[in-house]
């Protein structure tokens, strides 16, 4: 690490030592989650005093202002547990080469763990799963399975460590996202939990994820809405202090918000939007960009057999991902659009973000199509 970066990091750590309440700042939630996963103890968050926006009072430090964001929200913390501070569990060595015999032995140990779980012998199950991980440290499912056991033991930090490792091995591990999301919820990290659970739901939906989201989302939405409310109050306070200085930025922000609302009105949540000309396509892609939404451009033809197979799936995905813009072009009807995009075969899907192509899928590959939608779509 560069010397300048090290100095900045050292200064940041010293600031946290002198004012631990900084760690409750939502913008540092990732750092707080990391410290908790290592077994650190975070001092409780100080309560804010009424009158934080009283004009007669001087501005509190930035960290104290940020603490207001979550301090007066009524959250449902009934299922939140104290963070586990046990020493980190044994992990496998990812650099070792695993033989076929070791894979078989790891699978046998996993089977024994499942049997132990069914008999209620949790400690035996953990021992067997640890043995399996040491034999085959390249298996994401082994880490995710052990994470689920730690979660049942109400040891969320240990579960998060295993889930993180599972996701490093397999970034598309639905179980890894699911267990990490549920474990973060146990620590009261509501926004991070919601993000993980949404990704898990997109990769492999199940009822347990749905139930977890019903508990997590209300808290995450309250925090998000309160942050917006606080930001509005902060800007209002700045405007009262110096209306001339803040008038232009506020006006620009209002204009931007109006543009976003206009863009959203041009899009159809959960529906397919047919494209018939290049000018129409430009308008829709521009609206998607202003609304910060992923757009998918699907080229098809009535005579194409694979297109007839994938089209109803594309429609169902539009219903499943209402915040993604699903566009559809018949290449025989909109030849100018097909020519502009150099279409040589169908079906083909282009993923567009902020006016730029970020990915594509060629052919009627259902699993790849949905996987890439989940990858590029926003978590919430």
């Amino acid at each position: 690490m560069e010397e300048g970066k090290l100095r900045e990091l050292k200064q940041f750590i010293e600031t946290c030592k002198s004012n631990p309440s900084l760690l409750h700042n939502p913008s540092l939630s990732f750092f707080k989650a990391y410290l908790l996963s290592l077994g650190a103890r975070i001092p409780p968050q100080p309560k804010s005093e009424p009158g934080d926006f009283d004009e007669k009072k001087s501005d509190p430090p930035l960290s104290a202002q940020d603490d207001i964001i979550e301090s007066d929200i009524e959250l449902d913390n009934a299922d939140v547990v104290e963070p586990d501070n046990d020493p980190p569990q044994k992990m496998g060595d990812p650099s070792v080469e695993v033989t076929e015999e070791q894979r078989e032995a790891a699978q046998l140990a996993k089977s024994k763990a499942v049997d132990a779980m069914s008999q209620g012998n949790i400690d035996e199950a953990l021992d067997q799963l640890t043995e399996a991980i040491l034999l085959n440290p390249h298996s994401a499912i082994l880490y995710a399975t052990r994470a689920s056991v730690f979660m049942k033991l109400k040891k969320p930090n240990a579960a998060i460590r295993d889930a993180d490792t599972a996701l490093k091995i397999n970034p598309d591990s639905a179980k890894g996202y699911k267990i990490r999301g549920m474990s973060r919820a146990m620590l009261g990290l509501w926004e991070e939990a919601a993000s993980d659970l949404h990704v898990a739901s997109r990769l492999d939906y199940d009822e347990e994820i749905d139930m977890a989201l019903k508990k997590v989302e209300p808290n995450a939405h309250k925090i998000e809405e309160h942050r917006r409310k606080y930001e509005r109050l902060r800007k209002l306070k700045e405007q009262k202090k110096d209306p001339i200085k803040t008038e232009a930025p506020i006006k620009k922000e209002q204009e931007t918000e109006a543009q976003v609302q206009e863009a959203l009105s041009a899009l159809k949540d959960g529906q397919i939007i047919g494209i018939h000309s290049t000018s129409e396509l430009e308008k829709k892609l521009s609206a998607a960009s202003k609304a910060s939404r992923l757009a998918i451009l699907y080229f098809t033809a009535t005579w194409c057999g694979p297109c007839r197979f994938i089209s109803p799936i594309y429609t169902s995905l539009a219903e499943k991902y209402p915040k993604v813009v699903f566009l559809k072009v018949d290449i025989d009807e909109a030849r100018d659009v097909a020519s502009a995009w150099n279409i040589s075969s169908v079906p083909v899907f282009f993923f567009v973000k902020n006016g730029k192509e970020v990915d594509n899928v060629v052919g009627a590959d259902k699993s790849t199509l949905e996987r890439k939608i989940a990858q590029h779509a926003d978590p919430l």
Side-chain angles (χ1 to χ4, degrees):
M1 185 181 290
E2 297 178 5
E3 185 177 349
K5 295 292 184 183
L6 284 172
R7 285 198 300 269
E8 291 178 4
L9 178 59
K10 184 177 179 181
Q11 183 178 3
F12 172 69
I13 297 298
E14 292 299 324
T15 303
C16 289
K17 285 181 179 179
S18 62
N19 185 10
S21 65
L22 274 175
L23 297 174
H24 296 288
N25 186 333
S27 64
L28 295 176
S29 59
F30 70 97
F31 184 54
K32 177 181 175 182
Y34 171 67
L35 293 177
L36 290 172
S37 70
L38 296 178
R41 292 182 179 274
I42 307 297
Q45 174 175 316
K47 294 184 178 180
S48 62
E49 297 295 331
D52 285 304
F53 297 100
D54 189 341
E55 292 298 326
K56 296 180 181 179
K57 295 184 178 180
S58 59
D59 286 349
L62 182 59
S63 61
Q65 286 184 342
D66 288 343
D67 285 343
I68 299 169
I69 291 175
E70 292 188 45
S71 62
D72 58 350
I73 312 175
E74 292 185 4
L75 301 176
D76 180 5
N77 293 317
D79 296 326
V80 174
V81 302
E82 288 294 325
D84 48 308
N85 296 312
D86 301 336
Q89 63 269 34
K90 290 183 179 179
M91 297 289 191
D93 183 356
S95 65
V96 302
E97 293 186 9
V98 180
T99 65
E100 190 61 34
E101 290 78 8
Q102 287 175 313
R103 287 192 181 88
E104 292 176 359
Q107 190 60 35
L108 178 60
K110 180 188 174 185
S111 298
K112 290 181 180 178
V114 172
D115 291 339
M117 283 290 293
S118 65
Q119 298 172 12
N121 193 339
I122 306 298
D123 291 337
E124 174 66 19
L126 281 177
D127 289 342
Q128 291 294 341
L129 285 170
T130 300
E131 178 65 22
I133 286 170
L134 295 176
L135 287 166
N136 183 12
H138 301 162
S139 171
I141 192 63
L142 288 177
Y143 281 104
T145 302
R146 189 172 69 171
S148 67
V149 177
F150 279 125
M151 188 184 70
K152 290 178 180 178
L153 290 172
K154 297 191 183 301
K155 294 186 175 184
N157 283 328
I160 291 170
R161 284 192 288 268
D162 272 350
D164 283 342
T165 305
L167 290 169
K168 286 180 182 177
I169 298 171
N170 177 17
D172 293 329
S173 171
K175 189 170 185 178
Y177 281 111
K178 172 183 173 180
I179 299 301
R180 190 171 71 177
M182 296 173 72
S183 298
R184 283 174 163 176
M186 293 173 69
L187 291 171
L189 302 173
W190 303 113
E191 291 176 294
E192 296 89 339
S195 176
D196 277 344
L197 290 170
H198 274 285
V199 176
S201 178
R202 291 169 181 170
L203 292 171
D204 187 13
Y205 173 84
D206 65 39
E207 291 185 0
E208 192 174 15
I209 295 174
D210 185 56
M211 290 177 62
L213 277 170
K214 288 179 179 177
K215 293 182 178 179
V216 167
E217 279 191 319
N219 282 344
H221 289 160
K222 285 180 181 178
I223 293 172
E224 181 182 6
E225 183 59 32
H226 198 72
R227 183 182 292 112
R228 290 175 181 169
K229 176 183 175 183
Y230 170 75
E231 186 63 18
R232 288 195 298 269
L233 289 171
R234 185 186 65 79
K235 289 180 179 179
L236 180 62
K237 184 177 180 180
E238 290 178 355
Q239 186 181 19
K240 288 180 179 179
K241 285 183 175 181
D242 195 347
I244 297 177
K245 185 177 179 180
T246 58
E247 182 178 354
I250 290 176
K251 185 177 180 181
K252 184 177 180 181
E253 182 180 338
Q254 290 172 343
E255 291 175 352
T256 302
E257 180 65 23
Q259 290 176 354
V260 171
Q261 292 304 319
E262 182 181 356
L264 290 174
S265 67
L267 306 175
K268 301 175 182 178
D269 289 0
Q271 299 180 40
I272 304 295
I273 301 175
I275 299 297
H276 308 94
S277 66
T278 52
S279 60
E280 188 177 5
L281 175 59
E282 288 173 1
K283 289 178 182 178
K284 296 303 180 184
L285 289 180
S286 175
S289 180
K290 288 177 181 177
S292 300
R293 291 191 176 185
L294 168 70
I296 304 173
L297 184 56
Y298 165 39
F299 287 93
T300 181
T302 55
W303 45 262
C304 168
C307 297
R308 288 194 293 272
F309 162 75
I310 201 69
S311 285
I313 296 172
Y314 189 66
T315 301
S316 65
L317 289 172
E319 296 172 354
K320 185 175 181 180
Y321 299 89
K323 301 306 180 185
V324 174
V325 181
F326 286 78
L327 308 175
K328 186 175 181 178
V329 182
D330 186 313
I331 62 171
D332 294 321
E333 180 185 346
R335 295 178 182 275
D336 57 337
V337 181
S339 175
W341 284 76
N342 299 317
I343 302 304
S344 59
S345 64
V346 288
V348 62
F349 305 83
F350 294 97
F351 293 73
V352 181
K353 263 191 171 182
N354 298 320
K356 296 181 180 180
E357 180 187 341
V358 295
D359 210 336
N360 64 74
V361 174
V362 179
D365 189 338
K366 174 186 174 182
S367 60
T368 300
L369 177 61
E370 181 162 13
R371 177 173 60 80
K372 291 198 174 185
I373 292 174
Q375 175 186 344
H376 295 291
D378 291 331
L380 289 173

